[in-house]
Amino acid sequence: MDRNSYIIYIIDLFEKNNLGHLIDADKAEKLYDLSNLLVETNKMTNLTAITDEKDIILKHFLDSATVCDSFLYEWSILDVGCGAGFPSLPLAILRPDLKITSIDSTGKKITFVNRAAELLGLSNLKAICTRAEDLVKSDREKFDACTSRAVARLNVLAELCIPFVKVGGLFVAMKSDKGLEEYNEAEKGIITLGCNLRNKNELTLADETTVIAREIYCFEKVAHTPMQYPRNYSQIVKKPL
């Protein structure tokens, strides 16, 4: 699609998926530029398996947008395992009031996120090449919310993310339509880590040819996370809470 067609298409798709309140022409232009940058960079560096223009809109941009309304004005957000910048890059475009930190252990992906943020003028986003178990030593309970998409099962993800969240903040887990199974196995550990389920949002996203189901789990931090968590990653994976 050319630039004008893209802007019209993405605004229309956001509106059809009940996300129209998040988008305008300026934001759609930034998403167009991000899509081009992602595709061009991906030719040299493997960042994502999703490279079709319409698939990027549906499976990266719209999917990332589903968490936008979870966060209050000017909240600080941590995106754990951001990969090539999802949901953090679209989130920074669609919610410029948020202060977003993205982390991933793959240097080439963090390089891309920082370059994209600079080229798109996203001063509200910074990306760091690190692991959650290392960053938590300096940034424990520092963020208003922590989110993550397609990183690990919930019983592992919770121990990586919840220690970063302030009491009163949120841990927002982005899951497919199989999220309930993961929640059931993770519920006890989530309570141990200091969170309770606030709400679960089931939704579908669709374009002309594809429909995808998503579940967004919002957990409220009601107590401080015990200091022995998170454990080493190998321990978390071997014996989840």
Side-chain angles (χ1 to χ4, degrees):
M1 280 181 280
D2 62 46
R3 193 179 195 91
N4 288 336
S5 298
Y6 185 100
I7 292 169
I8 293 169
Y9 178 79
I10 197 170
I11 292 173
D12 182 62
L13 205 58
F14 265 67
E15 290 175 348
K16 287 179 177 176
N17 284 277
N18 300 312
L19 296 166
H21 61 288
L22 297 171
I23 197 72
D24 58 30
D26 289 339
K27 293 175 181 178
E29 282 195 37
K30 280 189 167 69
L31 291 174
Y32 172 82
D33 291 337
L34 174 57
S35 178
N36 284 346
L37 183 60
L38 180 67
V39 170
E40 288 304 309
T41 305
N42 203 65
K43 292 176 182 177
M44 300 172 288
T45 304
N46 183 27
L47 298 172
T48 177
I50 300 170
T51 56
D52 176 80
E53 195 170 45
K54 289 188 176 181
D55 281 348
I56 288 172
I57 296 171
L58 178 66
K59 298 177 182 178
H60 278 329
F61 296 166
L62 283 170
D63 193 25
S64 297
T66 58
V67 295
C68 279
D69 291 333
S70 300
F71 309 125
L72 296 183
Y73 183 69
E74 291 188 345
W75 264 16
S76 58
I77 312 296
L78 178 68
D79 179 10
V80 170
C82 67
F86 303 104
S88 48
L89 281 168
L91 195 59
I93 292 170
L94 299 169
R95 286 286 308 271
D97 61 291
L98 298 177
K99 298 177 284 290
I100 303 166
T101 301
S102 303
I103 65 170
D104 199 278
S105 60
T106 304
K108 64 182 180 180
K109 294 181 178 180
I110 290 299
T111 297
F112 172 77
V113 175
N114 278 322
R115 179 167 174 255
E118 181 179 2
L119 292 174
L120 296 170
L122 304 177
S123 60
N124 60 330
L125 171 61
K126 67 176 181 179
I128 305 169
C129 185
T130 187
R131 295 180 181 275
E133 316 92 277
D134 295 326
L135 184 66
V136 76
K137 296 171 186 176
S138 60
D139 288 5
R140 188 179 189 88
E141 297 192 339
K142 174 182 175 180
F143 297 90
D144 295 306
C146 183
T147 191
S148 187
R149 186 185 80 146
V151 170
R153 289 186 71 84
L154 189 55
N155 58 358
V156 171
L157 190 64
E159 190 168 346
L160 295 173
C161 292
I162 291 174
F164 286 103
V165 181
K166 300 174 182 177
V167 173
L170 295 177
F171 163 45
V172 181
M174 306 172 70
K175 290 295 175 182
S176 69
D177 57 352
K178 306 297 183 183
L180 181 59
E181 175 187 333
E182 293 189 32
Y183 171 68
N184 288 336
E185 71 180 12
E187 182 180 12
K188 181 180 177 182
I190 287 169
I191 293 171
T192 298
L193 293 163
C195 277
N196 289 332
L197 181 65
R198 173 186 277 188
N199 60 65
K200 170 189 171 185
N201 184 20
E202 298 181 16
L203 63 150
T204 58
L205 300 172
D207 60 16
E208 302 91 335
T209 60
T210 306
V211 178
I212 56 176
R214 291 290 182 263
E215 295 177 2
I216 309 297
Y217 288 80
C218 289
F219 301 94
E220 183 176 6
K221 187 78 171 280
V222 296
H224 294 290
T225 300
M227 289 300 297
Q228 66 264 37
Y229 305 114
R231 298 164 293 165
N232 292 331
Y233 185 73
S234 59
Q235 293 177 290
I236 298 172
V237 173
K238 184 177 181 180
K239 192 175 181 180
L241 292 176

